[in-house]
């Protein structure tokens, strides 16, 4: 089959690789109909992780079940499914408590709880930027979808970024009526803004400098804040008469840049501590790494991010972090899509065939105007 393979910093290739097979009784093989390029994939693409050369990439996947193992009894051949990026065993303590993002069995990597498809440090699993994908523990992991092709671009967001955006807002503690500030208008930040609006926020500020992304934020009713036009903290404080916001979402991660393009991994955390009011909450779903050899400071290379913890403590703020447990949210979010309440596909800018993946990575990584979310269709 054809698949997108990592070949080094800023180098991916579409190559012929072995077809996936049933390796355990609880496996299925899915024919991929849509797989997305994620902002998290760019950390690997840019050489800022230890992902191994030859890894098949892709953790945002959906498709049709082609083959099932003898131990699978819920999922059937022909089912249309969303594949959560988390791989959970379904029976460890964390999975049983609803935290499949921290499964203790799926990932053999020492010191790592939690597994995923096609990602650095997340286990030996190939990704789904390919024609087919092996899914372990399929009865536990897969979410069934209505048959057909309706809502394809909305449903493809269920594997990661829609639940991740929702998780960021959930971690912040948002309740109806809250004002929320989302830093980062990439796909996850836009999903966080969409989620906050669905959850009854009175106002949502979205901070970025890319005009196309800020325009999408305005499209879902958020207030765009262009940090290239001035200090985003001052802009939000002015807009709230000096009060600040109740909740904040960090959707940028460890490669945060200022308006001049200089990297400051603590920048967004500092801004959120300043803009969120006392006793407010912050949800961090931007990726941070245990170590980052390419970081701009010696501390950051060790994964140490010295943000304004003293002010955070003094203001009595709370912070939740970590990868989203997709299964915690995806059924409800699926149903919001089916009923027309949620429309996460609004961020899609480009739909490409698998053979066009190299261009997709290049354009998305360069943040070229209009390249906000790239979908790959292996059957195109």
């Amino acid at each position: 089959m054809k698949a997108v393979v990592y070949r080094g910093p800023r180098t991916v290739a579409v190559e012929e690789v072995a077809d996936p097979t049933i390796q355990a009784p609880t496996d299925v093989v899915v024919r991929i109909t849509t797989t997305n390029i994620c902002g998290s994939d760019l950390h690997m693409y840019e050489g800022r992780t230890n992902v191994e050369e030859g890894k098949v990439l892709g953790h945002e996947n959906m498709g049709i079940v082609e083959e099932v193992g003898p131990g699978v009894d819920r999922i059937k051949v022909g089912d249309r499914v969303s594949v959560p990026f988390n791989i959970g065993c379904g029976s460890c303590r964390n999975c049983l408590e609803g935290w499949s993002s921290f499964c203790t069995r799926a990932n053999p990597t020492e010191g790592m709880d939690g597994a995923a498809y096609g990602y650095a440090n997340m286990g030996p699993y190939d990704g789904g930027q390919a024609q087919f994908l092996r899914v372990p523990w399929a009865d536990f992991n897969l979410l069934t979808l209505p048959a057909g092709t309706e809502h394809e671009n909305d449903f493809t967001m269920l594997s990661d970024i829609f639940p991740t955006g929702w998780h960021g807002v959930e971690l912040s503690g948002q309740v109806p009526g809250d004002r929320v500030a989302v830093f980062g208008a990439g796909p996850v930040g836009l999903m966080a803004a969409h989620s906050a609006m669905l959850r009854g926020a009175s106002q949502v500020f979205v901070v970025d400098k890319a005009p196309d992304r800020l325009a999408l934020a305005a499209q879902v009713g958020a207030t765009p804040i262009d940090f290239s036009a001035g200090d985003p903290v001052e802009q939000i404080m002015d807009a709230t008469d000096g009060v600040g916001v109740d909740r904040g979402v960090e959707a940028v991660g460890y490669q945060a840049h200022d308006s001049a393009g200089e990297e400051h991994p603590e920048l967004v955390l500092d801004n959120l501590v300043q803009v969120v009011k006392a006793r407010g909450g912050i949800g961090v779903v931007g990726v941070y790494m245990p170590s980052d050899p390419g970081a701009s400071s010696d501390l950051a290379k060790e994964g140490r991010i010295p943000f304004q913890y003293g002010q955070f403590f003094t203001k009595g703020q709370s912070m939740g972090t970590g990868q989203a447990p997709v299964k915690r949210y995806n059924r409800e979010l699926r149903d919001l899509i089916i009923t027309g309440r949620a429309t996460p596909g609004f961020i899609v800018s480009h739909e490409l065939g698998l053979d066009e993946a190299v261009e997709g990575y290049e354009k998305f990584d360069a943040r070229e105007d209009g390249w906000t979310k790239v979908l790959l269709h292996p059957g195109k």
Side-chain angles (χ1 to χ4, degrees):
M1 70 172 182
K2 290 182 179 180
V4 179
V5 177
Y6 177 77
R7 286 301 173 200
R10 288 191 163 84
T11 305
V12 296
V14 179
E15 300 178 1
E16 288 287 337
V17 302
D19 290 352
T21 59
I22 300 294
Q23 298 180 24
T26 53
D27 289 352
V28 307
V29 174
V30 173
R31 174 175 55 82
I32 298 296
T33 56
T34 304
T35 178
N36 314 331
I37 301 177
C38 180
S40 299
D41 290 328
L42 299 183
H43 299 308
M44 294 183 290
Y45 180 71
E46 293 171 2
R48 295 292 290 272
T49 71
N50 63 350
V51 65
E52 63 270 23
E53 188 173 331
K55 186 80 165 180
V56 176
L57 303 179
H59 59 272
E60 297 187 7
N61 307 305
M62 66 176 292
I64 307 297
V65 175
E66 288 282 301
E67 185 181 1
V68 302
V72 176
D73 60 9
R74 183 177 71 87
I75 299 298
K76 305 291 189 296
V77 170
D79 282 351
R80 185 187 187 200
V81 293
S82 172
V83 186
F85 81 89
N86 318 122
I87 303 172
C89 71
S91 58
C92 73
R93 181 169 183 169
N94 286 346
C95 284
L96 290 172
E97 293 178 350
W99 292 99
S100 56
S101 48
F102 298 96
C103 176
T104 61
R105 292 181 59 209
N107 190 348
T109 305
E110 185 176 355
M112 290 292 296
D113 289 342
Y117 302 94
Y119 205 84
N121 297 322
M122 299 303 286
Y125 307 98
D126 283 338
Q129 289 172 10
Q131 292 175 299
F132 298 95
L133 175 69
R134 170 185 166 246
V135 177
W137 296 292
D139 276 335
F140 174 72
N141 285 302
L142 290 177
L143 174 71
T144 56
L145 303 170
T149 59
E150 189 177 11
H151 302 301
E152 183 83 5
N153 288 3
D154 293 313
F155 286 151
T156 194
M157 306 305 166
L158 289 171
S159 58
D160 179 0
I161 61 169
F162 192 13
T164 294
W166 189 278
H167 186 55
V169 178
E170 177 75 13
L171 289 173
S172 78
Q174 186 218 341
V175 296
D178 279 347
R179 280 174 163 159
V180 180
V182 178
F183 278 69
V188 168
L190 291 169
M191 290 297 97
H194 190 34
S195 298
M197 297 298 289
L198 288 167
R199 294 164 59 110
S202 59
Q203 188 172 20
V204 178
F205 299 96
V206 177
V207 180
D208 207 289
K209 68 174 183 177
D212 54 340
R213 294 180 172 189
L214 291 172
L216 286 173
Q219 184 177 312
V220 292
T223 302
I225 300 292
D226 182 356
F227 73 80
S228 69
D231 183 353
V233 173
E234 291 182 2
Q235 292 185 63
I236 293 173
M237 296 304 287
D238 288 346
T240 58
D241 297 321
V243 175
V245 297
D246 303 281
R247 313 290 167 184
V249 177
E250 203 284 16
V252 178
Y254 70 113
Q255 290 182 256
H257 290 74
D258 61 23
S259 58
E262 186 175 341
E263 189 169 298
H264 301 278
E266 78 289 347
L267 178 64
V268 175
L269 295 173
D270 283 348
N271 285 340
L272 280 166
V273 169
Q274 293 177 65
V275 81
V276 173
K277 67 185 186 183
R279 300 299 303 155
I282 299 169
V284 180
V285 288
V287 172
Y288 288 83
M289 302 295 288
S291 64
D292 176 21
S296 56
S297 72
D298 289 339
L299 279 176
K301 289 176 182 178
E302 298 176 2
R304 299 176 182 271
I305 310 297
F307 78 106
Q308 293 181 350
Y309 184 80
Q311 188 175 2
F312 173 77
F313 173 85
T314 300
K315 294 177 76 171
Q317 294 168 336
S318 60
M319 181 180 291
T321 69
Q323 292 187 339
V326 170
K327 281 174 57 62
R328 231 177 149 88
Y329 312 116
N330 63 356
R331 284 165 175 78
E332 292 85 352
L333 299 184
R334 173 197 62 190
D335 294 344
L336 286 173
I337 291 170
I338 292 170
T339 58
R341 292 274 291 123
T343 56
F346 79 92
I347 66 170
V348 175
S349 60
H350 292 79
E351 297 180 65
L352 308 177
L354 196 65
D355 288 335
E356 301 171 280
V358 173
E359 178 189 11
Y361 267 92
E362 290 173 351
K363 301 288 189 182
F364 189 43
D365 182 59
R367 275 66 166 178
E368 289 201 10
D369 185 63
W371 287 75
T372 53
K373 186 62 175 178
V374 180
L375 311 188
L376 303 175
H377 300 297
K380 186 173 180 179

